Structures are given as structure tokens and as C-alpha cells.
Amino acid sequence: MKIGFIGLGLIGGSLAKSIRETYKDCTIAAYDIYGKLLDNALVDGTINKACYEIDDNFSNCDYIFLCAPVTSNEENLKTIISYCGKNTILTDVGSTKGNIHRALDKIGFDGVFIGGHPMAGSEKYGYDHSGSNIIKGAYYVLTPGKNATDEQINSYANLVESIGCKPTIMDMELHDRATGVISHIPHVISASLVHFLINHDNDKKTMKALAAGGFRDVTRTASSSVKMWEDICLANNDIICELLDDYIEELKDIRNTMASKDKTEIARFFSEAKEYRDFLYENNPKFKQ
């Protein structure tokens, strides 16, 4: 098996390491704008070929993974598609799917594309923080393009399963709305809470000094890659703005609940959230602490 990676950051690196652990004899070629990163991946044995440009080292790949930021993936498409053979499955790992499917349609790509999104990550970023443990046990969404056959979809799903992930096939619009709710909006809220602290702190920075575990946990994703989240918010902009409107209305309802001083309603608000979150936590061993 021969696999190409365009971008070898946190998720690309984690996938490459997972594949290397499972398929020790496969050939992995990788391109990244940071040459030192490729050198590190060669030294640790994750890749066989460091590519300092997108070239014919990516010919005859079984899979090519686009693992750069969302907008960079769209740019890289223009170069990489010339190296996609008839049996190559082109895929990506982006947090949005509609944009890349549309980009492929726009340039008239007639090969096989199956969008991919491992539902995993960290507030840290870059190859140095990658590892197979990051994606182990994670759901891995597949959004097949129009030319993908059942055999190719099953082949990709089997690859995903073999490295310890849980493949699930989904329509790209549903994926983008789902990730908007469970990933994109929470990230925006996380960053907004940091701004909220900044805007309400006093000259002595009392709140900054007191911010401890709870604030740290709820704002963890605000430390993620700025470039990555800039791209995501532009790529999934319509859905994010729509969901923010919905969330603003929910905040108004929460505000009214608090203002009512109704003990029953306030308790209901917290108990429903606790019950649902506890259910998610207790039924997903990946998140057991």
C-alpha cells in the first residue's frame, strides 16, 4: 500500500503514525511547507519519503490525505489532482466538508473523492504533538463523492477501522451542521469567554489571577491554532452564523430563567445538562479520566 499526505500536522501526523503502526511495510510519502517537520517524520520512521514540493512522488498512491488547513487544502487540490490515478482515493481530514466537495466540482475533478473527518483533536497543534493515541477510538466520518463506488467506500472504512477508529458514513450537509453544533460553536464560545474575562477584569487583573481549573477547562480550545479556526469559520460560515443566532436566543431564555429566581426552573436547567453530559461521558470510554 502506498499513501500520500499533504500536510503533516496534528491530525495528519496522528493518522500517518497510526497507519505506520498497523501497516509496517506500507510506503508513506509526505509533503509539508515545514521541511524540518518532514525531517523529523523521516527520523522517527513514520514516513519513507519527505517531499519538499508536491510532485510525482505522489503518483500511484492508493490514498492521498489532504491534511493542511481547510483553505490550503482547496489550493493544494489544483496541484495534487494531476497525480491521482484511477485507483487513487483522494480524501481530506477537514472539519468542514461542503466546501471541499464544491471545490472539486468547480475544478471538474472526475476521480474518486471520499471526504474524511476523524472526530478527534487537541488544543495543541503540529506534528510534534501528534500520536496514534489521539485518534484511537474516535468516530471517523466519511462523506463519499459522486464517483465513489461501494467497494471503495468499504475499503476506506476498513482502513479506518483497522487503525482503531469507528467509520460512519454521512451526508456532507449533515456533517457540517453536526460539527457546527458540537465543535465550531463551542470553540467560538470558548474564545468568547476569554474575551469576556478580558473585558470585565480590573486594572489589577484580579480575575486573571483567580482564573483556575473550571475556567481553564471550559476555555481549553481557545488555545487551538488560530489559522485553523479562521479557515473553519470561513468555510462553514453560514451554518456557524445561523447556529450563533440560535444560541443567542437560548442565552436569552437562560437569562430569563435566572432572572425568575425560580428554584425549580434553575435546578431543571442544570440537572438536564448534567444528566445528558454524564450519559455521554459514562458511555464513551475514550473520555474517561
Side-chain angles (χ1 to χ4, degrees):
M1 184 163 60
K2 181 180 179 182
I3 296 178
F5 282 87
I6 308 299
L8 207 62
L10 179 73
I11 298 301
S14 297
L15 273 171
K17 290 176 179 178
S18 295
I19 291 170
R20 173 61 68 211
E21 288 178 7
T22 306
Y23 301 96
K24 299 189 185 304
D25 295 329
C26 76
T27 298
I28 299 179
Y31 161 80
D32 197 278
I33 59 174
Y34 300 110
K36 182 69 165 60
L37 179 157
L38 295 172
D39 296 338
N40 293 343
L42 272 176
V43 170
D44 69 22
T46 298
I47 67 174
N48 307 91
K49 179 66 179 178
C51 307
Y52 301 97
E53 59 182 345
I54 299 174
D55 55 23
D56 59 9
N57 281 297
F58 292 96
S59 297
N60 302 314
C61 282
D62 296 287
Y63 295 88
I64 295 177
F65 288 85
L66 300 169
C67 303
V70 172
T71 54
S72 297
N73 279 343
E74 293 179 29
E75 281 298 311
N76 290 332
L77 282 177
K78 301 169 186 176
T79 306
I80 199 62
I81 59 172
S82 61
Y83 299 105
C84 291
K86 63 179 182 179
N87 295 318
T88 301
I89 294 176
L90 180 64
T91 185
D92 75 321
V93 298
S95 184
T96 60
K97 285 287 153 278
N99 58 304
I100 195 160
H101 279 273
R102 289 188 291 270
L104 284 162
D105 287 342
K106 186 175 181 180
I107 62 177
F109 179 64
D110 59 0
V112 176
F113 178 77
I114 303 175
H117 181 203
M119 302 294 291
S122 167
E123 74 277 12
K124 299 185 183 300
Y125 48 93
Y127 182 79
D128 290 344
H129 296 289
S130 66
S132 59
N133 61 302
I134 288 176
I135 63 171
K136 283 282 191 300
Y139 282 98
Y140 197 118
V141 179
L142 303 181
T143 60
K146 59 189 176 185
N147 295 330
T149 66
D150 289 344
E151 182 181 0
Q152 289 164 326
I153 296 167
N154 289 335
S155 174
Y156 192 178
N158 289 337
L159 174 67
V160 164
E161 197 165 31
S162 73
I163 61 173
C165 298
K166 300 178 231 181
T168 180
I169 298 168
M170 190 177 295
D171 174 82
M172 63 182 178
E173 285 87 2
L174 175 58
H175 168 274
D176 287 358
R177 182 162 294 277
T179 54
V181 172
I182 65 175
S183 175
H184 305 165
I185 292 300
H187 183 89
V188 172
I189 293 168
S190 174
S192 75
L193 288 173
V194 177
H195 284 284
F196 191 72
L197 184 150
I198 294 169
N199 294 333
H200 285 76
D201 211 349
N202 57 26
D203 292 339
K204 294 182 179 181
K205 306 300 179 186
T206 303
M207 297 179 193
K208 179 181 179 182
L210 294 176
F215 188 81
R216 179 198 62 206
D217 292 345
V218 80
T219 60
R220 177 181 61 83
T221 60
S223 293
S224 301
S225 165
V226 172
K227 172 60 176 170
M228 179 181 76
W229 281 100
E230 173 191 318
D231 284 356
I232 288 171
C233 287
L234 291 174
N236 206 25
N237 193 263
D238 289 347
I239 288 176
I240 288 173
C241 288
E242 178 187 333
L243 292 173
L244 278 174
D245 287 339
D246 291 345
Y247 186 67
I248 289 167
E249 291 304 312
E250 290 214 15
L251 282 176
K252 291 177 181 177
D253 291 340
I254 294 167
R255 192 266 178 203
N256 291 337
T257 297
M258 299 302 155
S260 72
K261 298 182 181 180
D262 185 324
K263 291 175 63 176
T264 301
E265 284 301 300
I266 291 172
R268 181 191 59 79
F269 169 74
F270 286 110
S271 64
E272 286 182 356
K274 180 183 186 309
E275 180 180 350
Y276 191 82
R277 188 187 183 281
D278 287 350
F279 175 81
L280 292 176
Y281 172 82
E282 290 167 3
N283 287 273
N284 194 334
K286 181 175 175 63
F287 297 109
K288 285 192 178 294
Q289 297 173 338

